[in-house]
Amino acid sequence: MRETRLKGNFIGGNINYGYSLKELTTEVNGKPVRTALKVIINEHEAAILLQMFTDYANGKRMHEIVKEFRDKSVLNRGKPFTPAAIYSMLQQEKYTGIYRIHDEIYDKIYPSVIPKELFQVVKARIDANKYGKHVIGVDYILKGRAFCGYCGKPLRSATGTSKDTTIWRYYKCPSIKKATGCQNKAMKKETLEQFVVDALFKKICEPANMELIVKGILEKHKKKLTDDTDLRYYERELANTNKALSNIIGAIEAGIYTETTKQRLEELEDKRRHLEENIAIEKAHVKESLSEKEIVQRVTSALKLKTKQAVEMLIKRVDVFKDLLRISLKYMDGKPTDSPPDKTTDNPDGNDSCRGFLIFSYNEQYEVYHARTYKYKGFREYRDVKTVRIEIYI
């Protein structure tokens, strides 16, 4: 297979939208025999692809692109375009002429149909919206940091409109409506963010809690100086991930390419990237001792920043359950401006193996609003007061 790729030939399977296949043949005993398959540009589909990339780069939303294609009767090889299909196409680097597999790059298989500069613009927009839809004027300050406590998936933005046209915004697990068994429920954006903000600007600032945090950070940092458990864990996970990737790629090369294999491939590639970043951080980490003064200075300096900046500096992740929030704090040394927001996760599968030390916990109450329209009773409103336990981890 590698030799076939080095020759610039197609390895087999389904050909991507925008391309066609051309057979190269030679005569054997007076009969044509196929010697190779070459990928060529499908001019009609390539024009549609270019329009798709251009529209998305210029700010059009996915459903707008789909609607325009539908109105113009533009089909995806006989079927209507869907947001999922377009989303997948927009992430295919091979449209720029580059094909990556097994840590190798091949540039002679796929002819370029999309300029690299345009692909990078589209990629930047997709990465920016990875953990939730972008809504102008609405800032989800926990974007990329809030995770479902049951299945481990990043929470996404969601909205609902009440009878009086009030728009309610939520953090919601994407698995709730799917047959995954996830039992989580959506939580109001304002409620979840207020819990986290109060934990930072009220609870952490209390002298007794600050003392507990400093003690916890010193203990964990001391343990980190004496072993390389995290590094070994990341390397073991990376080996398992690479093995899983090889299996998926082998299945795709054998012609088994479905929405499930595509989604799994994307998940594994994303996980591998995070693990490689964590390994690089662990190897480059300068093992210096921390002092109590440095820790207090870092936390207090971060709390002087604006809310979103403070969250970026101090919050590693928030695991959200129906009646429990686990807030994991960062404990890196250095000035607050030295460290970029941490968008990785040590716990991609939702387990508790990397949760850290529980520092302190407390209970909070919040109001839950329900509205239902019944066939005979008409419209009914319900308001309940629920209690959530908030745990702070290092």
Side-chain angles (χ1 to χ4, degrees), residues 261-317:
T261 56
K262 177 178 72 65
Q263 181 180 356
R264 181 58 176 161
L265 179 64
E266 293 173 353
E267 290 175 354
L268 288 171
E269 288 178 338
D270 190 46
K271 184 177 180 180
R272 180 172 68 175
R273 184 169 61 254
H274 290 327
L275 289 170
E276 288 174 344
E277 291 174 357
N278 287 335
I279 289 173
I281 291 172
E282 288 297 321
K283 288 183 176 180
H285 181 67
V286 179
K287 296 189 174 182
E288 297 178 351
S289 297
L290 281 175
S291 69
E292 179 179 338
K293 182 179 179 180
E294 290 173 333
I295 297 171
V296 174
Q297 183 179 6
R298 174 181 172 78
V299 175
T300 54
S301 297
L303 293 177
K304 293 178 182 178
L305 302 173
K306 293 181 179 180
T307 301
K308 185 176 181 180
Q309 293 174 304
V311 168
E312 290 176 346
M313 293 308 309
L314 295 178
I315 299 294
K316 182 178 183 181
R317 63 183 288 138

Side-chain angles (χ1 to χ4, degrees), residues 14 16 88 92 251-252 255-262 265-266:
N14 298 324
N16 289 75
S88 175
Q92 296 292 330
I252 293 174
I256 306 173
Y257 187 74
T258 64
E259 284 296 320
T260 302
T261 56
K262 177 178 72 65
L265 179 64
E266 293 173 353

